[in-house]
Amino acid sequence: MRGTRIEASGALVAGVLVLALGLAGLILGSVPQSSGDQGPQGVSVVSAWIAAPVPPTELAAGYFTVYNNTDSDVQLLKVTTSAGASNVLHTVVGGVMTAQEGGVLIRARSSLVLSVGEGHVMIDQLFGKLKAGDLISMELTFADLAPIDVTAKVYAPGTHP
């Protein structure tokens, strides 16, 4: 009888341990993970990519997601790229795509998603032709935080990751 109680309590402990590890995995999985583009201040930039220009235009669009994993709002002031001399943030405001010359506020514990139809960095005055597979550096400048550098892959018009 005593052996059965020890086995049962051992099974209970093992079950609780498995449950705890499973919950830890769920929690970790729900926290945004970056591919090394995390600033030391708890802000990360992921999924950066650029849509090559659709001829005959000479404008490209950059996309990415910024996670603000801090307890304070952060201000993304500007984005510069190695692809063009002019780089302007655009987001949707009141249903209209609008240039954000002064930057974009990213609330504490939230994110800014620039995606097709939902915002982009308009890259103009290109330094050369952009073609699928090119890698372009982007620097995101924030108020009161160190800049974050990311690399964005160029995709052919009409395609993206």
Side-chain angles (χ1 to χ4, degrees):
M1 189 69 122
R2 184 174 179 163
T4 303
R5 270 195 222 160
I6 292 172
E7 289 172 13
S9 75
L12 179 63
V13 169
V16 169
L17 182 58
V18 167
L19 178 62
L21 289 173
L23 287 174
L26 284 174
I27 291 167
L28 181 59
S30 70
V31 174
Q33 304 295 311
S34 79
S35 59
D37 301 324
Q38 169 108 8
Q41 58 275 349
V43 175
S44 61
V45 181
V46 299
S47 305
W49 65 280
I50 294 176
V54 175
T57 67
E58 295 188 11
L59 299 171
Y63 303 96
F64 51 79
T65 299
V66 179
Y67 289 104
N68 178 4
N69 298 313
T70 73
D71 293 328
S72 302
D73 297 347
V74 297
Q75 181 79 19
L76 173 60
L77 297 174
K78 66 179 181 174
V79 177
T80 56
T81 73
S82 63
S86 174
N87 304 275
V88 179
L89 282 164
H90 288 83
T91 62
V92 176
V93 177
V96 177
M97 193 67 70
T98 306
Q100 301 296 323
E101 298 289 342
V104 178
L105 183 69
I106 307 167
R107 296 280 180 204
R109 301 282 172 203
S110 69
S111 61
L112 167 69
V113 179
L114 298 183
S115 61
V116 177
E118 297 298 322
H120 56 269
V121 174
M122 183 60 65
I123 306 168
D124 195 7
Q125 301 172 26
L126 298 176
F127 298 131
K129 297 281 185 197
L130 291 180
K131 60 186 181 304
D134 286 349
L135 298 177
I136 302 299
S137 62
M138 302 174 96
E139 181 181 79
L140 285 74
T141 302
F142 297 87
D144 304 320
L145 299 175
I148 297 177
D149 295 318
V150 297
T151 300
K153 185 176 180 180
V154 175
Y155 285 81
T159 66
H160 57 82

